[in-house]
């Protein structure tokens, strides 16, 4: 994928997420997401903050005493409450924009929209297709970037192999699954590990519905 393809995918995902949010019931909005201590509505608010400016980021970092997870948590959970409709409106307002938060590449917003879409729908039992090619780009970026996912360290000794596309990450005992499920694994989610197969799958954490690493941030 070239840069334009990445942004087109981000736009499409933000548009469809806006439609999803408007369709959620109050019970679904308040339901737990795949991120520990985050409700579905909290993840939705987090998605609307993708255009955070450098001043906001610096102030948040100072207040959080340099903790990335705490900064992300405070930005979403301590913000003024937003309705599903307002979150949807803000997501649609981002469509067509090429703005990012400070110090990040466009592949990070791609990771956000793909993974957080699953963070909200998997626990609700809703189907949300993951486009394999963009998800492979996101998985490779999450694998390579280290912080905040630390995928290479967490999944050392495993070889992740996609069953629906061209994606192979790591070396060792094989773990096979769709690119969407491998993306969730690389970013620390274990809710769909039962859909993975291979010798290495038995070595994965069994704490379904939560993410490894920091329990505070949906990053």
């Amino acid at each position: 994928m070239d840069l334009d393809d990445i942004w087109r995918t981000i736009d499409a995902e933000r548009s469809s997420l806006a439609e999803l949010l408007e369709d959620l019931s109050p019970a679904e909005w308040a339901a737990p997401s795949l991120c520990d201590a985050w409700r579905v509505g909290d993840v939705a608010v987090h998605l609307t903050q993708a255009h955070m400016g450098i001043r906001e980021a610096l102030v948040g970092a100072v207040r959080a005493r340099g903790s990335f997870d705490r900064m992300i948590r405070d930005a979403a959970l301590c913000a003024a409450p937003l309705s599903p409709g307002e979150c949807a409106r803000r997501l649609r307002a981002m469509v067509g924009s090429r703005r990012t938060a400070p110090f990040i590449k466009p592949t990070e917003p791609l990771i956000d929209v793909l993974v957080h879409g699953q963070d909200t729908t998997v626990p609700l039992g809703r189907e949300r297709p993951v486009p394999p090619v963009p998800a492979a780009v996101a998985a490779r970026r999450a694998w390579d970037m280290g912080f905040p996912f630390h995928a290479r360290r967490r999944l050392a000794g495993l070889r992740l192999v996609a069953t629906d596309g061209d994606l192979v990450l790591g070396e060792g005992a094989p773990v096979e699954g769709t690119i969407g499920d491998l993306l969730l694994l690389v970013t620390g989610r274990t809710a769909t590990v039962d859909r993975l197969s291979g010798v290495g799958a038995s070595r994965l954490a069994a704490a379904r519905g939560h993410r490894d690493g920091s329990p505070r941030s949906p990053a």
Side-chain angles (χ1 to χ4, degrees):
M1 296 180 73
D2 62 22
L3 189 57
D4 286 339
D5 288 333
I6 289 174
W7 279 115
R8 277 192 287 269
T9 300
I10 293 170
D11 286 344
E13 290 294 312
R14 283 173 172 166
S15 294
S16 65
L17 277 168
E19 293 179 7
L20 167 71
L21 297 181
E22 290 176 328
D23 189 53
L24 295 180
S25 68
E28 288 176 314
W29 185 254
S33 74
L34 292 188
C35 307
D36 286 359
W38 287 67
R39 300 169 302 169
V40 166
D42 298 328
V43 177
V45 171
H46 170 69
L47 282 166
T48 70
Q49 298 172 336
H51 286 178
M52 180 184 293
I54 189 168
R55 185 176 185 278
E56 296 170 282
L58 289 175
V59 170
V62 171
R63 288 176 176 170
R65 299 180 181 179
S67 169
F68 174 79
D69 286 323
R70 188 178 302 150
M71 180 185 72
I72 296 298
R73 177 184 173 86
D74 290 350
L77 274 64
C78 297
L82 298 179
S83 67
E86 178 60 18
C87 285
R89 186 195 70 77
R90 295 189 184 195
L91 281 175
R92 288 194 179 101
M94 295 180 187
V95 173
S97 171
R98 299 298 178 257
R99 179 179 172 184
T100 66
F103 314 120
I104 69 170
K105 299 178 179 180
T107 42
E108 274 87 305
L110 179 66
I111 295 170
D112 269 4
V113 292
L114 293 177
V115 174
H116 294 328
Q118 300 302 303
D119 285 338
T120 56
T121 54
V122 169
L124 298 180
R126 285 179 173 248
E127 291 291 329
R128 181 172 175 79
V130 180
V133 174
V137 172
R140 291 189 184 99
R141 174 57 181 159
W143 180 267
D144 290 338
M145 65 192 294
F147 178 84
F149 305 116
H150 306 291
R152 290 176 182 268
R153 183 185 68 197
R154 287 189 299 103
L155 302 172
L158 300 176
R159 184 171 184 261
L160 313 185
V161 182
T163 56
D164 60 344
D166 181 19
L167 178 69
V168 177
L169 300 170
E171 295 291 338
V175 175
E176 299 178 350
T178 66
I179 295 177
D181 286 338
L182 294 180
L183 173 61
L184 290 181
L185 180 65
V186 168
T187 55
R189 280 73 176 168
T190 59
T192 61
V193 293
D194 58 336
R195 301 202 294 232
L196 303 176
S197 61
V199 175
S202 62
R203 293 164 49 182
L204 297 171
R208 293 190 60 211
H210 298 81
R211 57 173 297 229
D212 283 336
S214 169
R216 297 193 173 190
S217 169

